[in-house]
Amino acid sequence: MPLKLSLHRVSQRFLDEGKELFQPYTASIREGSRIACTGASGQGKSSLLKILARLHLPASGTLSWNDQEATEIPVTNWRRYIHYVAQHATMLSGSIEDNLKLPSQLHQLPFNKDTAEHLLEKVGLSALDWKSEALQLSGGEQQRLALVRSLLLEPQVLLLDEVTASLDEAHTHHVEELLKGWAEERDRAYVWITHQPDQIARIANEQWSFDNHVITSNRVEVTA
């Protein structure tokens, strides 16, 4: 399936004040796009990701997927292929295995155990007992498990809301390498909110900067 997620003059407002959170913004996300969203808190980075995931409605503007308007595409289909990963992972009551299988069950897809095991190894979770309670995991372990769970849906775009904020340096680099490889090798894309300046050059080839309610885009010089 081709990959072209487009925003046309998308804006958002503060719900309680009616003031502009960010001004209309137009951009396209294509195969291999690795976008870092940066800027101070309160500028609308998470709000934009939630608009892209169709979790929130924009104040103005439209979204389209391969030139088809978002309103013409069922939300469940949209959220499978354009998938939001929250900063604070949500684990359901039950085992690690139950949580891993949840996306497959919700979207009526076959569960690939081999792929799950491979991804868990990539993020340093291969030693987990699948029968243990997911809610007993540490915050960092839950975050990595949530990421694996999202990748099992085989999305085309991942919307990553500070997904390494609770990880140590070693696990942060494991996640970065996994996601960069996923985007490059499978012609996928991600939009990744980060507050770590040194992370931008490692993860991104494009940067969306949020400043004074305006979003600007520029290319990033990629480092190894």
Side-chain angles (χ1 to χ4, degrees):
M1 181 182 294
L3 193 166
K4 183 185 175 186
L5 172 58
S6 299
L7 308 74
H8 179 69
R9 296 192 57 78
V10 167
S11 71
Q12 189 57 290
R13 295 180 176 275
F14 289 104
L15 295 178
D16 54 344
E17 302 174 19
K19 296 180 181 177
E20 207 158 46
L21 181 57
F22 55 82
Q23 295 177 13
Y25 184 58
T26 297
S28 289
I29 301 166
R30 298 175 182 270
E31 294 96 336
S33 292
R34 295 186 286 109
I35 300 165
C37 289
T38 63
S41 297
Q43 291 287 319
K45 298 182 297 298
S46 293
S47 292
L48 180 59
L49 260 62
K50 290 175 181 177
I51 289 170
L52 291 175
R54 292 178 65 187
L55 295 168
H56 290 174
L57 292 173
S60 68
T62 59
L63 300 176
S64 64
W65 176 253
N66 296 326
D67 301 320
Q68 184 178 11
E69 291 236 355
T71 52
E72 300 173 358
I73 301 172
V75 170
T76 52
N77 292 355
W78 184 279
R79 291 181 186 163
R80 177 195 167 187
Y81 289 110
I82 304 167
H83 193 72
Y84 176 75
V85 185
Q87 178 180 357
H88 302 291
T90 299
M91 292 289 112
L92 299 181
S93 178
S95 69
I96 289 170
E97 184 173 6
D98 292 335
N99 276 268
L100 286 170
K101 288 182 174 179
L102 179 64
S104 301
Q105 294 168 348
L106 289 175
H107 292 273
Q108 299 181 328
L109 299 169
F111 176 71
N112 191 320
K113 184 177 180 181
D114 289 342
T115 300
E117 290 175 341
H118 172 73
L119 292 171
L120 289 171
E121 182 179 6
K122 286 287 189 181
V123 297
L125 295 177
S126 58
L128 290 181
D129 176 1
W130 284 33
K131 299 302 181 185
S132 61
E133 286 289 321
L135 291 172
Q136 298 303 312
L137 297 173
S138 69
E141 289 171 331
Q142 289 187 15
Q143 184 60 71
R144 285 176 281 155
L145 183 64
L147 179 60
V148 168
R149 188 172 60 187
S150 297
L151 286 168
L152 288 171
L153 274 177
E154 298 186 356
Q156 294 211 345
V157 180
L158 277 175
L159 307 170
L160 307 164
D161 198 341
E162 293 192 70
V163 294
T164 58
S166 61
L167 305 184
D168 61 23
E169 184 176 358
H171 287 125
T172 291
H173 284 291
H174 291 157
V175 168
E176 289 175 356
E177 289 304 309
L178 170 64
L179 291 172
K180 282 172 59 181
W182 170 82
E184 292 170 352
E185 296 165 14
R186 298 174 64 85
D187 289 332
R188 301 295 189 251
Y190 58 67
V191 185
W192 187 330
I193 295 174
T194 178
H195 287 285
Q196 303 173 39
D198 62 328
Q199 189 175 52
I200 297 167
R202 296 197 304 267
I203 65 169
N205 53 26
E206 185 177 350
Q207 182 175 358
W208 292 355
S209 301
F210 291 64
D211 183 44
N212 197 28
H213 312 296
V214 175
I215 307 172
T216 56
S217 173
N218 61 276
R219 301 298 296 176
V220 172
E221 184 176 342
V222 180
T223 63

